[in-house]
Amino acid sequence: MSQEAVIAASGAYPKPAQTFQYGTAGFRMKAELLPSVVFRVGLLAALRSRYKGGQVIGVMITASHNPPADNGVKLIDPLGEMLESSWEAYGTALANAESDQAVYDYYTQLEQKFNIDKDVVPQVIYGSDTRESSPALVQALKDALDAVGVKSQGFGAVTTPQLHYVVRCLNTQGKDDAYGEPTLEGYYQKISTAFNQLMANKSNGSVTVDCANGVGGPKLRELQKYLNGSIDITITNDDTETFSKLNSESGADYVKTGQRLPPSVSAQPLARYASLDGDADRIVYYYVDKDSVFHLLDGDKIATLAASFIGDLIHQSGITDFSIGVVQTAYANGSSTAYIEKLGLPTVCTPTGVKHLHHAALAYDCGVYFEANGHGTVLFSPTALKRIFAHEPKNPAQDTALTHLKNITELINQTVGDALSDLLLVEVILAHKEWTPDLWDACYTDLPNRLEKAEVADRNIYKTTDAERKLTHPVGLQEQIDALVGKYDQARSFVRPSGTENVVRVYAEAATKSEADELAQKVKALLN
Ligand code: NG1
Ligand code: ZN
């Protein structure tokens, strides 16, 4: 790597007059602001790989559920986790360096700070979602990787969880904790083999999947080729050619936030529907009842379904002293938390952002974590996996349960929330329980709730504590919120600054829809 080469390459991607911040979802904004950021993230990925002794780091270019004009970029750490938080600040500093020379200087400062071995060859893999702006951003990334001598490989359009999967496979290849074949084919093979075994001699009718016109559409179509036909998957909203359709009037965020059907879906009573987001790391289910009333089965409902099913399998396998915990955020519906407690399982609340949930889930033998918006997965600790795979069943019933349990650990993408893997997980559980969506829904009744966003002059003045459930600043505001909450039945409300948009979010739930709406509006009015 020569100073001239880095400075010349950086010169092709001038920094706009803008301050950048590596947030919950990496960098995310209007795509035209991103070329310099992506270039510099490429440099950071190279450093991170060398710091990790040449392990493979992933770079995903996506803006998930955001509108088509946006894009974003984030790093994936060696085991497929989100970038370690202490490194986010280095990304922020690199993105904000004011000149090409300053970029180079900061890069070499980091090399010195971490005493990085210059002989280690960095390795980076990358992919993107289906946005119009993605190819140009991929080019900016490649230019950075080439400038600093990275051994790199592009995976084209992939779902975010697929790239997480491949990163983990590459770094564990040939080791005890090998995760799978480091290819998309390997990904489809791994989850479909588990699914097909779990669904042997079962069938589960049909499910219609709205793919938000994003990368999930073609990838689900591919996955479908590997499935044994035990469910009939109808794919809708899978137009990735018309860029303007991405996440438009479709997708998990549209359905969850508006608590409504995508207009393109004409729902049949009691049939199953699911929506993915633009990069297929979120999923929500829904159905309409006999009176055509819409019912959402969100991340909380998926978490409770998965936790209770896995808990039953553990019990039926004869495995004892095994801890299962459910990790949620403040956005989890109060009824879901009460239901999990009723199941006798511990719940934990963490700040928003999957890295927090993921971390908390590691405390259990099996940690189930989901954001209410449908982003989540299930983690089995290395010790738990060893115990499950070494367990000797004592009778045929234990044997069957244990076989299912082993397949469940293979079906789930344990690196990160994965809409395709979660879709198959839900389908398996519903088939095993012989549940229609209304029976699943009947586990508990969601408290009516409302999510609002408020444009404010400066969202940084809003500071929170208690897993974002309370404000410490502006001083006095929390007391005003509490006073309002106190006027409603079964009510809860909180305010927090978004980590991905320049807004403050307001959440309210209460015994009735009108009370939840009114409380949200009143709390929102306090912000002006
Ligand atoms: P912010 O913008 O910080 O609320 C949103 C979601 C998170 C998470 C991130 C990352 C809500 C209320 N917030 O975060 O849950 O998914 O985006 O994509 O859904
Ligand atoms: Zn997403």
Side-chain angles (χ1 to χ4, degrees):
M1 174 197 91
S2 76
Q3 175 165 348
E4 290 72 30
V6 176
I7 290 180
S10 174
Y13 301 103
K15 174 185 174 292
Q18 173 91 21
T19 309
F20 299 107
Q21 194 182 350
Y22 196 111
T24 334
F27 296 100
R28 198 181 282 184
M29 62 200 69
K30 291 274 168 288
E32 68 257 25
L33 294 170
L34 275 168
S36 67
V37 175
V38 172
F39 179 88
R40 294 160 187 211
V41 165
L43 300 182
L44 187 72
L47 277 175
R48 181 81 182 148
S49 170
R50 286 164 65 200
Y51 173 72
K52 290 280 180 186
Q55 288 189 84
V56 180
I57 297 295
V59 181
M60 182 68 196
I61 294 177
T62 176
S64 186
H65 60 280
N66 284 34
D70 290 7
N71 215 325
V73 60
K74 55 188 169 187
L75 289 194
I76 303 169
D77 257 357
L79 287 182
E81 327 92 300
M82 305 282 174
L83 174 68
E84 183 189 308
S85 4
S86 65
W87 273 60
E88 293 176 1
Y90 310 135
T92 300
L94 259 181
N96 290 316
E98 284 301 342
S99 67
D100 303 322
Q101 182 67 48
V103 169
Y104 178 79
D105 291 346
Y106 191 69
Y107 182 85
T108 49
Q109 258 178 44
L110 287 176
E111 274 183 329
Q112 282 157 17
K113 177 181 166 84
F114 292 112
N115 215 352
I116 284 176
D117 181 348
K118 299 206 168 138
D119 292 334
V120 171
V121 178
Q123 299 192 69
V124 173
I125 66 168
Y126 53 87
S128 67
D129 65 19
T130 53
R131 287 162 201 266
E132 189 171 16
S133 57
S134 291
L137 294 175
V138 165
Q139 190 57 51
L141 175 69
K142 273 195 204 155
D143 286 353
L145 300 177
D146 291 345
V148 291
V150 175
K151 188 175 158 214
S152 69
Q153 190 188 354
F155 280 78
V158 283
T159 71
T160 296
Q162 286 180 326
L163 197 67
H164 284 252
Y165 164 88
V166 178
V167 168
R168 176 137 165 192
C169 292
L170 286 168
N171 290 313
T172 54
Q173 244 173 338
K175 298 186 183 154
D176 282 354
D177 56 350
Y179 197 65
E181 282 300 311
T183 57
L184 294 190
E185 157 92 26
Y187 168 90
Y188 297 124
Q189 284 286 3
K190 177 170 172 159
I191 64 176
S192 64
T193 303
F195 175 84
N196 290 339
Q197 289 181 19
L198 282 156
M199 292 296 285
N201 310 316
K202 294 200 187 295
S203 67
N204 198 27
S206 68
V207 58
T208 299
V209 185
D210 150 32
C211 299
N213 298 308
V215 67
K219 301 305 174 184
L220 177 55
R221 216 172 273 296
E222 195 56 34
L223 172 60
Q224 209 176 9
K225 295 182 191 155
Y226 294 77
L227 306 179
N228 62 0
S230 51
I231 47 166
D232 175 16
I233 304 177
T234 303
I235 298 174
T236 67
N237 294 328
D238 62 337
D239 178 359
T240 56
E241 308 284 313
T242 315
F243 297 120
S244 59
K245 286 192 178 171
L246 177 67
N247 296 321
S248 172
E249 306 224 298
S250 62
D253 201 60
Y254 179 90
V255 172
K256 165 74 185 168
T257 314
Q259 304 183 22
R260 65 197 152 173
L261 292 171
S264 59
V265 171
S266 63
Q268 301 303 310
L270 301 181
R272 295 191 301 283
Y273 297 87
S275 286
L276 320 181
D277 73 340
D279 62 338
D281 61 358
R282 286 194 200 178
I283 184 168
V284 293
Y285 266 76
Y286 43 93
Y287 71 100
V288 300
D289 63 22
K290 291 193 195 76
D291 302 318
S292 295
V293 177
F294 172 85
H295 295 265
L296 180 68
L297 297 154
D298 63 2
D300 302 338
K301 285 259 152 106
I302 298 173
T304 50
L305 185 73
S308 70
F309 186 67
I310 292 168
D312 288 348
L313 289 179
I314 295 280
H315 181 71
Q316 290 157 9
S317 306
I319 296 174
T320 51
D321 299 322
F322 191 96
S323 63
I324 301 179
V326 181
V327 185
Q328 304 186 306
T329 71
Y331 293 105
N333 197 277
S335 298
S336 74
T337 314
Y339 175 73
I340 298 160
E341 282 160 8
K342 210 173 82 186
L343 292 176
L345 300 176
T347 60
V348 189
C349 183
T350 74
T352 305
V354 284
K355 67 182 175 209
H356 300 293
L357 290 105
H358 192 98
H359 184 76
L362 294 170
Y364 300 95
D365 292 322
C366 172
V368 178
Y369 75 82
F370 270 87
E371 293 189 304
N373 63 28
H375 191 182
T377 188
V378 181
L379 303 181
F380 291 88
S381 75
T383 326
L385 285 175
K386 281 200 191 99
R387 283 185 61 201
I388 291 169
F389 281 84
H391 185 70
E392 296 282 350
K394 297 208 169 44
N395 55 50
Q398 287 194 357
D399 191 31
T400 306
L402 188 65
T403 306
H404 291 333
L405 186 59
K406 288 176 185 169
N407 279 319
I408 287 285
T409 69
E410 293 284 305
L411 174 62
I412 294 167
N413 185 341
Q414 296 187 46
T415 64
V416 77
D418 182 336
L420 301 184
S421 150
D422 290 339
L423 170 78
L424 298 189
L425 177 67
V426 169
E427 290 300 314
V428 162
I429 301 176
L430 295 179
H432 278 243
K433 288 184 179 277
E434 298 182 7
W435 272 3
T436 45
D438 53 329
L439 284 175
W440 172 16
D441 196 22
C443 289
Y444 64 86
T445 307
D446 273 325
L447 280 169
N449 58 88
R450 182 72 179 242
L451 182 60
E452 285 283 330
K453 52 181 159 183
E455 313 269 343
V456 292
D458 179 9
R459 74 181 151 138
N460 295 317
I461 63 167
Y462 295 86
K463 304 245 186 278
T464 62
T465 183
D466 188 23
E468 302 181 323
R469 287 174 290 194
K470 288 203 157 50
L471 284 171
T472 55
H473 295 84
V475 172
L477 188 51
Q478 186 60 46
E479 287 71 16
Q480 290 177 283
I481 298 173
D482 291 344
L484 285 172
V485 168
K487 294 184 181 152
Y488 297 87
D489 199 19
Q490 289 181 276
R492 194 166 69 87
S493 178
F494 63 90
V495 168
R496 58 173 279 279
S498 159
T500 61
E501 283 178 72
N502 193 20
V503 295
V504 166
R505 297 200 198 282
V506 176
Y507 177 87
E509 64 185 33
T512 64
K513 176 103 191 78
S514 61
E515 285 176 294
D517 289 348
E518 191 179 293
L519 177 57
Q521 291 311 329
K522 290 202 168 154
V523 171
K524 190 173 166 184
L526 295 174
L527 306 178
N528 298 317

